Amino acid sequence: MSPDRSRAPELRKFVAPEIVFGVGARRLAGRYAANLRAERVLLVTDPGVIAAGWAADLQRSLEDVGIAYSCFSQISPNPRAEEMMLGSEQYRLAGCDVIVAIGGGSVVDCAKGIGIVSSNRRHILEFEGVDNVTEPMPPVICIPTTGGTSADVSQFVIVSDRAFRTKRAIISKSVVPDISLVDPETLTTMDPFLTACTGMDALVHAVEAFVSNAHSPLTDVHALEAIRLIYPNLAASVRAPTDVALRTPVMLGSLEAGLAFSNASLGAVHAMAHSVGGYLDLPHGECNALLLRHVAAFNYRSASERYEQVGLAMGLDLRGMSGSRKRAAILRALDALRAELGVTGTLASRGVSGSDVSELAEHALRDACLVTNPRSANRRDLEVLYEEAL
Ligand SMILES: [Fe+2]
């Protein structure tokens, strides 16, 4: 590619934690905690991860190196501000000095929220927005157990604010964990619907990062590779849940999508999904899955070449097609994946009614993810998109 000398190059940064990827990575948690000179760990997890046996694995890993821990597991599927405040109180009272989180995005987001509050001693909701976290968190080690949210590598913390029935985004370099131990084996206990929803979340991360106004060559390479890994393997991993050979590309794709969106940010799918997920307390990945094709159809004319590359990464043969046929083929491929995964609902079937649309659009309009959407969307645009997804 020849350089474009007509304009000054834009500055782009790329932030990532230390990452260990591969089967068995989770067993390194104790050794990494010891390297950080941990004396007492706050072990953050949730009841589902405990039942699956992954938390016990982590306890053994800490016991093997003689590190004490205090366990915090009172975490809802969409982690709430109060839970982060409660966890930070436990961190303080137990005299912890390192946080180790094992679980899905809710657990990791909660662990990061606990870290923010523990260092900054203010209410978690005061940090909403971009770059409002001044003091660094204590050391945080994450072990993700879903192939989706990538909170273990990202600059995002999403907090459910039940008082306003919405979600708040905290975006800061300070909330990138120190170490992420990404172990595909942990995905084998996810049920089909959770696999489908978290996998769709990861795919949406890749697509939104790739078409984002803040994308860069550093994020593009990860976004496209994530799509190449997730699109052909996700449905197969739903059908064969214990097959680690299928879980591995989905987990790697999720990780790469996380690196991409953490640094390129997201778009209207996430702005709208945060709004509807916070309003009705619905699974994040499912909200994304129900909105993706509608937002892609809306955005297409502003980023058609980028969407064509998304289509090629999904394995579509777009040669010889007109622009409108390419657009139709790409939207069809997104619909086909959702159908194959069995995520067949609509917003209406999940409890959204026409009278909610105005408030949902109002919340989405204020979400930080909307800023980087390739096509600017006003309140009416968002209302129409919600109506289309009903
Ligand atoms: Fe997401």
Side-chain angles (χ1 to χ4, degrees):
M1 190 170 64
S2 59
D4 177 1
R5 298 181 196 283
S6 61
R7 56 190 187 133
E10 291 181 72
L11 296 175
R12 295 289 191 219
K13 74 174 176 181
F14 191 91
V15 183
E18 179 175 346
I19 297 165
V20 181
F21 181 89
V23 171
R26 68 186 187 280
R27 299 202 180 91
L28 300 176
R31 200 190 305 172
Y32 269 95
N35 290 348
L36 291 166
R37 306 260 184 278
E39 291 190 357
R40 194 172 185 87
V41 158
L42 185 73
L43 196 170
V44 182
T45 189
D46 70 16
V49 178
I50 293 170
W54 303 120
D57 253 16
L58 177 53
Q59 288 169 333
R60 261 192 305 279
S61 172
L62 293 169
E63 285 160 7
D64 284 348
V65 292
I67 295 176
Y69 54 84
S70 172
C71 186
F72 178 77
S73 62
Q74 296 151 266
I75 301 174
S76 308
N78 287 314
R80 301 171 179 196
E82 311 85 74
E83 292 162 348
M84 297 179 187
M85 299 311 293
L86 207 59
S88 67
E89 191 60 10
Q90 184 169 329
Y91 179 92
R92 191 178 65 80
L93 291 173
C96 298
D97 47 13
V98 168
I99 297 172
V100 183
I102 185 162
S106 302
V107 165
V108 176
D109 269 342
C110 191
K112 298 201 299 187
I114 291 169
I116 294 169
V117 175
S118 297
S119 299
N120 291 270
R121 304 294 175 94
R122 283 156 53 205
H123 194 278
I124 188 66
L125 294 175
E126 292 180 35
F127 302 96
E128 185 187 10
V130 179
D131 287 339
N132 293 325
V133 181
T134 49
E135 294 300 316
M137 300 186 295
V140 176
I141 301 172
C142 294
I143 304 159
T145 60
T146 59
T149 58
S150 299
D152 53 294
V153 296
S154 82
Q155 304 184 52
F156 287 64
V157 175
I158 306 298
V159 189
S160 179
D161 180 351
R162 296 313 303 149
F164 288 87
R165 295 180 70 188
T166 192
K167 288 185 174 183
R168 314 259 179 213
I170 298 168
I171 305 170
S172 168
K173 189 174 75 171
S174 303
V175 304
V176 176
D178 297 87
I179 294 146
S180 181
L181 305 173
V182 187
D183 189 337
E185 211 166 19
T186 62
L187 301 188
T188 56
T189 50
M190 282 201 297
D191 65 46
F193 191 67
L194 187 60
T195 301
C197 288
T198 55
M200 282 300 286
D201 185 25
L203 185 71
V204 173
H205 291 156
V207 173
E208 293 215 284
F210 191 70
V211 302
S212 160
N213 287 338
H215 78 88
S216 76
L218 289 171
T219 57
D220 287 348
V221 65
H222 291 292
L224 286 180
E225 185 60 14
I227 296 166
R228 289 187 202 107
L229 288 163
I230 296 165
Y231 191 84
N233 291 300
L234 181 56
S237 82
V238 167
R239 288 189 292 270
T242 57
D243 188 341
V244 178
L246 288 171
R247 295 289 194 178
T248 299
V250 173
M251 191 56 136
L252 184 59
S254 166
L255 169 61
E256 296 219 42
L259 293 170
F261 94 77
S262 173
N263 291 285
S265 196
L266 293 160
V269 182
H270 268 77
M272 295 176 68
H274 289 153
S275 172
V276 75
Y279 195 69
L280 291 171
D281 212 12
L282 294 175
H284 171 65
E286 185 182 12
C287 295
N288 277 325
L290 303 186
L291 291 161
L292 173 62
R293 75 101 59 212
H294 302 287
V295 172
F298 172 79
N299 282 347
Y300 199 88
R301 73 170 197 215
S302 301
S304 55
E305 287 178 14
R306 306 291 293 175
Y307 278 103
E308 280 175 27
Q309 291 191 63
V310 168
L312 295 174
M314 290 193 295
L316 302 182
D317 183 359
L318 303 172
R319 285 174 298 181
M321 286 188 184
S322 65
S324 62
R325 283 189 58 210
K326 285 179 186 170
R327 177 182 184 275
I330 292 161
L331 295 177
R332 239 189 346 264
L334 295 175
D335 289 339
L337 178 64
R338 185 156 88 87
E340 197 178 356
L341 292 172
V343 186
T344 52
T346 61
L347 289 183
S349 74
R350 301 299 274 121
V352 180
S353 70
S355 59
D356 298 324
V357 163
S358 164
E359 189 168 351
L360 291 174
E362 181 70 39
H363 287 164
L365 204 54
R366 286 201 299 264
D367 192 286
C369 294
L370 197 61
V371 176
T372 43
N373 194 61
R375 181 176 167 189
S376 73
N378 61 30
R379 188 187 166 127
R380 185 62 202 141
D381 294 327
L382 297 176
E383 287 175 351
V384 169
L385 285 168
Y386 277 123
E387 281 159 5
E388 285 171 359
L390 278 178

